[in-house]
Amino acid sequence: MAYLKRLLGAALLGFIVWVLYLTFPEWSSIFASAPATFSAENWQGAHKYRREAMARDILERSLYVGMRREDVLKLLGKPEQQSDRALHYFVALTAADYMVLTFEIDEGGRVAKAYLRQS
């Protein structure tokens, strides 16, 4: 019985190591540093949960003012969530949930408001 427990424990540990090895690029990028200054290249190259500093830079410099919905999509890529009236980009993990950069879109298809919120 003890032999069987050790064998199952070793198999479980091997499985965990195997899964971590296969998914290394995805989970390890969360720990990589991300640039603080926004650029399309920096945004596209950063992990989606390491973009908070760039999102703050977008808001501080008001880079979204007057942008059409299509321009935001070209600049930032596909959002994690979207509707007819908003685009939502995940930018950071928090203790309980995550931070989201939200662009509210007006009737004319332009950004009316942008802000960070905890979701």
Side-chain angles (χ1 to χ4, degrees):
M1 190 63 158
Y3 174 74
L4 184 58
K5 284 183 180 179
R6 284 195 304 260
L7 182 62
L8 287 174
L12 179 61
L13 180 61
F15 177 75
I16 291 169
V17 168
W18 179 68
V19 167
L20 289 174
Y21 173 76
L22 290 178
T23 61
F24 179 76
E26 289 81 21
W27 62 261
S28 66
S29 61
I30 292 173
F31 302 108
S33 62
T37 304
F38 172 80
S39 73
E41 296 80 27
N42 288 346
W43 184 271
Q44 298 295 337
H47 188 275
K48 69 180 179 181
Y49 294 131
R50 302 288 297 156
R51 296 176 173 163
E52 184 178 359
M54 286 187 282
R56 291 186 188 284
D57 187 44
I58 289 170
L59 297 175
E60 287 172 7
R61 294 194 289 154
S62 300
L63 297 179
Y64 58 89
V65 173
M67 291 184 80
R68 294 178 303 136
R69 177 189 186 96
E70 297 78 26
D71 295 334
V72 174
L73 291 170
K74 281 182 193 175
L75 193 61
L76 302 181
K78 183 180 175 190
E80 281 72 33
Q81 296 177 345
Q82 63 180 317
S83 66
D84 292 339
R85 300 298 303 259
L87 303 172
H88 307 283
Y89 293 90
F90 296 168
V91 297
L93 287 174
T94 64
D97 40 29
Y98 45 89
M99 293 288 279
V100 178
L101 174 61
T102 297
F103 294 94
E104 291 182 3
I105 309 297
D106 66 15
E107 298 83 22
R110 294 194 178 272
V111 175
K113 184 177 178 183
Y115 53 89
L116 277 175
R117 67 178 173 86
Q118 192 163 348
S119 185

